[in-house]
Amino acid sequence: MASSGGLVAPEGFKMITEGSASILYEADESQGDRGEPVFYNKVQVLNRDLSIRMITLFARQRARELANPKGNRAKRRAAFKAKQEQEKQVETTENAGIDPAAPAGVAASEASEASAAAEPASSSQGGTEGGTEGRDVGLEGMGPEELDAKLRSEAQTSGITILDALAATGLRSIRYYKEIPGVKHVVVNDLDPAAVKAAEKNVTFNGLSLQQVTPQQGDGCMAMLQAAAGGGRRFDVIDLDPYGSAAPFLDAAVQSVSDGGLLCVTCTDMAVLSGNQPEACFAKYGSMPTRGKYLHEMALRILLHSLETSACRYRRHIVPVISCGIDFYVRVFVRVFESAAEVKRTCLKRGYVHQSVRCPSFHLQPVARLNGHSYAGATGPVGGGACAETGGSFRIGGPMWTAPIHDQAWVGEALRDLEAHRSKLGIEPASGKGASSGPKVPKKAALRAAAAQGSGVFPPISTHERLHGLLTTVSEELEDVPLFYTLPSLCETLHCTSPKLDDIKSALINAGYRVSGFHKEPNALKTDAPSEVVWDVMRCWVQKRPLNKKRTEAEKSPGTMILEKPPTVKANFSRPKGGVLTKAKACRFPMNPEDFWGPKARARTVKRPPGTQEGGPQEAKGGDQAKAAKQPRVGE
């Protein structure tokens, strides 16, 4: 018998422990891993750990909003007025285009986003609109630990409700209930009857009742639409983590989440979102990718565009909390609000990218602009009809989301939570760039001891180091600058030696522009400098490190055409004062922890062999029978 954290697996079963949850699965020990009839992917542990952190923040924010609804409404009105004033200033410019040279246009059109995240839910439906009875008004002054304890004590009266729409055997759902403070009820939905039966077994095995975590069998879209129907109770949190694209579920999800609720969406079809299949991307998400070097960020913005498009049909709009590209998938967390006024403004949050086909230069073309108190189509094309550097044509991508994709206030609070977790478990702070120089993770015995204490303020986080690095890099990104360049692509175009990334960043900062990286790409150069300034900096670098004679004498290429133009900006590569390039210690881009770190094959349903009972021990003896048993997925 296997055991962990005081739990003992019954005969004929093995056990997987993750966080505070333990999942049973049947296995043929004689066949090793090949005999495990489950779908468990270690890569998604970070996904679940991140989700727990963000839903915890949502539970706290929701409690604050319900405790002081009038104050939140006043803040929202004041922010809305400030946003209108900023838009009037943008309108005075001849071209309201969203371009890296003028990113303030994006920020001005989105001044309400941060305030909307604090919008109190005021609709008559759903758990978020459950009222303020029994709540203190002074929640703002509470620390995270004190507030979490209060949320747990009031969970059964005013806690949040969560739908895990594609739950498989319930690992994620069980962790949500045990580790997130203030959870009243979790619905574990899956279309596969065998998965639902396994989920029921796992719920009871973890000491929970089926009234607390309720497995149900059915279509995910139907489960959501029934909640959105008249008389139904909308969910405060809906989690969509399908194998492949979440596009078929988005329309139902934006209808079924409560006003001010949280949507957690994963898409693993990166081949589609990154541009390998642009026609499929347009069919699923209504957007055309460009296959630019910024493909990971564009994938996030395409998904956000699709979510906003679906929400606007029902007089709703989204406010991104955090959007991440992780391993082979993208994961976004957005709040959904009801607001007819904000729905009208959605055209200011969309745009197209014009990507040069001969060099990395790109320009962002907005969909619309504010014309007094009305809206009009934007003027263009931004960047002219051809690339100013090489004369090449543009490939058009989009439409996509051009507003901020993160709420830095939430990211900062998540980082503070991780620091508190580090102190609680005695994890040493990170001290280097690589995975080996990050924080020392406690021994497995220490993590198991923490898990045995049950749900608490500091549940064990096995991906602590990676999660801290991810949130740190997200916190350093420029909010109002969509897309980025990569240093290798710039150098490849010019056929020049590659400088240090900090050298190029220093030159741009010394020229008066802002720069940052991107959390998925180590060589990203996100900047509000126009493309001509970026190329001027690279020209100055080539003057310091001249090209080989054979390169300069070769027939005209995009690189030689760019270098023929004299730089108009004199680059200063010295480090700027004030430590603006100093980074917090974190493991930003760790190596994969093991070989074949990626997606697994889709779980399939095949005919069971005669005489084998569903849910019973496998009687696989090889050949077709070894493949015949039902294979429910675990945690995905």
Side-chain angles (χ1 to χ4, degrees):
M1 293 186 182
S3 65
S4 177
L7 297 176
V8 179
E11 290 293 342
F13 290 88
K14 287 188 176 181
M15 182 166 54
I16 295 174
T17 298
E18 180 183 302
S20 298
S22 295
I23 300 297
L24 296 174
Y25 66 92
E26 306 166 23
D28 184 350
E29 296 184 2
S30 64
Q31 297 187 38
D33 292 341
R34 293 175 298 171
E36 297 180 1
V38 296
F39 183 90
Y40 178 75
N41 196 347
K42 297 178 182 178
V43 182
Q44 294 286 10
V45 178
L46 177 63
N47 183 319
R48 291 185 280 272
D49 286 345
L50 174 63
S51 300
I52 289 169
R53 302 267 64 77
M54 302 317 298
I55 300 175
T56 297
L57 299 187
F58 167 75
R60 295 174 188 166
Q61 180 66 18
R62 170 185 176 275
R64 298 186 189 107
E65 292 169 358
L66 289 177
N68 189 19
K70 292 183 179 179
N72 283 287
R73 289 192 185 99
K75 290 178 183 178
R76 189 184 175 205
R77 284 195 296 269
F80 189 81
K81 290 180 180 179
K83 169 195 61 183
Q84 288 181 319
E85 292 299 322
Q86 289 178 327
E87 287 177 345
K88 289 179 181 178
Q89 295 176 7
V90 174
E91 183 196 354
T92 60
T93 61
E94 180 179 356
N95 190 335
I98 307 172
D99 190 83
V106 182
S109 69
E110 298 309 320
S112 66
E113 294 297 289
S115 62
E119 177 185 6
S122 57
S123 173
S124 61
Q125 292 184 343
T128 301
E129 302 84 12
T132 60
E133 295 84 353
R135 287 193 176 273
D136 296 332
V137 178
L139 296 184
E140 294 289 345
M142 287 188 178
E145 193 167 348
E146 183 181 3
L147 180 54
D148 288 351
K150 182 175 179 61
L151 292 176
R152 286 190 175 88
S153 67
E154 300 177 353
Q156 295 309 309
T157 57
S158 55
I160 62 174
T161 56
I162 302 176
L163 170 64
D164 192 355
L166 308 163
T169 51
L171 173 59
R172 181 185 298 265
S173 304
I174 295 170
R175 288 195 64 190
Y176 282 178
Y177 191 88
K178 298 185 73 172
E179 298 181 25
I180 298 171
V183 177
K184 181 179 182 179
H185 185 216
V186 179
V187 176
V188 186
N189 184 84
D190 200 273
L191 186 61
D192 184 354
V196 175
K197 188 173 182 179
E200 292 176 351
K201 183 185 301 180
N202 289 324
V203 169
T204 55
F205 181 70
N206 281 270
L208 303 175
S209 71
L210 298 181
Q211 288 70 43
Q212 296 169 321
V213 180
T214 307
Q216 68 177 28
Q217 190 270 331
D219 180 80
C221 288
M222 288 300 297
M224 291 184 282
L225 292 174
Q226 287 171 357
R233 183 176 178 85
R234 289 174 173 169
F235 296 97
D236 298 306
V237 179
I238 294 179
D239 194 302
L240 298 175
D241 190 10
Y243 189 99
S245 174
F249 307 97
L250 299 184
D251 194 79
V254 296
Q255 297 179 68
S256 310
V257 70
S258 61
D259 186 13
L262 185 70
L263 275 184
C264 317
V265 183
T266 298
C267 288
T268 63
D269 56 334
M270 284 302 296
V272 173
L273 286 167
S274 62
N276 285 342
Q277 302 171 24
E279 71 288 352
C281 185
F282 190 84
K284 291 182 178 181
Y285 301 97
S287 183
M288 186 67 71
T290 63
R291 295 190 68 180
K293 298 299 183 181
Y294 42 72
L295 60 93
H296 295 289
E297 181 177 350
M298 190 169 185
L300 290 168
R301 294 184 178 276
I302 287 174
L303 176 55
L304 292 173
H305 156 76
S306 186
L307 276 166
E308 175 80 348
T309 300
S310 296
C312 287
R313 298 190 185 104
Y314 308 100
R315 299 180 61 179
R316 295 183 144 206
H317 70 102
I318 67 168
V319 178
V321 171
I322 185 172
S323 309
C324 301
I326 306 171
D327 296 318
F328 56 87
Y329 61 91
V330 290
R331 177 75 163 169
V332 300
F333 299 83
V334 301
R335 297 191 70 181
V336 180
F337 295 97
E338 294 180 3
S339 173
E342 285 295 332
V343 168
K344 293 177 181 178
R345 297 173 41 76
T346 188
C347 57
L348 300 178
K349 307 172 187 178
R350 320 290 185 93
Y352 294 87
V353 58
H354 292 184
Q355 173 64 58
S356 173
V357 299
R358 303 196 69 192
C359 72
S361 299
F362 65 88
H363 301 275
L364 293 174
Q365 170 69 53
V367 169
R369 60 187 175 90
L370 190 64
N371 185 16
H373 294 288
S374 61
Y375 300 89
T379 57
V382 174
C387 177
E389 302 297 331
T390 63
S393 58
F394 287 119
R395 180 181 295 115
I396 300 176
M400 64 180 183
W401 180 266
T402 53
I405 62 176
H406 311 298
D407 186 328
Q408 292 297 348
W410 286 60
V411 177
E413 187 175 351
L415 277 170
R416 289 190 292 273
D417 270 5
L418 283 181
E419 292 297 330
H421 177 269
R422 169 184 290 142
S423 301
K424 187 75 173 180
L425 294 183
I427 304 175
E428 298 179 8
S431 58
K433 298 179 180 179
S436 61
S437 56
K440 293 182 179 179
V441 181
K443 295 181 179 179
K444 290 183 179 180
L447 289 176
R448 290 172 180 169
Q453 297 175 1
S455 57
V457 179
F458 301 97
I461 305 175
S462 61
T463 60
H464 187 287
E465 182 180 351
R466 289 194 68 201
L467 185 56
H468 178 265
L470 172 65
L471 292 174
T472 300
T473 51
V474 167
S475 71
E476 297 166 346
E477 291 179 16
L478 293 175
E479 294 184 76
D480 55 348
V481 180
L483 308 185
F484 56 85
Y485 304 92
T486 63
L487 185 57
S489 66
L490 295 173
C491 296
E492 182 184 9
T493 301
L494 300 180
H495 302 290
C496 68
T497 58
S498 180
K500 293 182 179 179
L501 185 58
D502 281 352
D503 290 339
I504 304 302
K505 288 183 176 180
S506 298
L508 292 171
I509 292 172
N510 291 330
Y513 298 97
R514 297 174 297 146
V515 296
S516 77
F518 182 70
H519 65 270
K520 186 66 172 69
E521 174 53 59
N523 295 305
L525 185 66
K526 185 183 282 285
T527 178
D528 60 351
S531 58
E532 55 266 25
V533 173
V534 174
W535 287 119
D536 276 349
V537 170
M538 294 304 297
R539 291 184 187 107
C540 292
W541 170 257
V542 172
Q543 289 177 354
K544 292 182 62 177
R545 302 286 192 279
L547 300 182
N548 187 292
K549 236 181 182 182
K550 294 181 180 179
R551 292 289 187 189
T552 58
E553 294 174 354
E555 61 180 82
K556 280 197 173 182
S557 64
T560 56
M561 294 175 67
I562 292 172
L563 293 174
E564 283 177 352
K565 300 180 180 180
T568 56
V569 174
K570 184 65 176 177
N572 177 10
F573 295 99
S574 61
R575 296 295 184 267
K577 297 180 180 179
V580 293
L581 289 179
T582 302
K583 296 180 180 179
K585 293 180 180 179
C587 179
R588 287 173 169 76
F589 304 101
M591 299 291 290
N592 291 338
E594 59 185 50
D595 294 336
F596 309 111
W597 190 253
K600 288 189 175 182
R602 182 191 297 268
R604 295 186 300 274
T605 301
V606 292
K607 183 181 294 185
R608 302 179 63 85
T612 302
Q613 296 180 357
E614 184 176 348
Q618 247 184 299
E619 297 181 348
K621 299 180 180 178
D624 293 337
Q625 288 190 1
K627 305 175 183 178
K630 175 67 187 176
Q631 298 189 6
R633 299 161 294 164
V634 172
E636 296 302 319

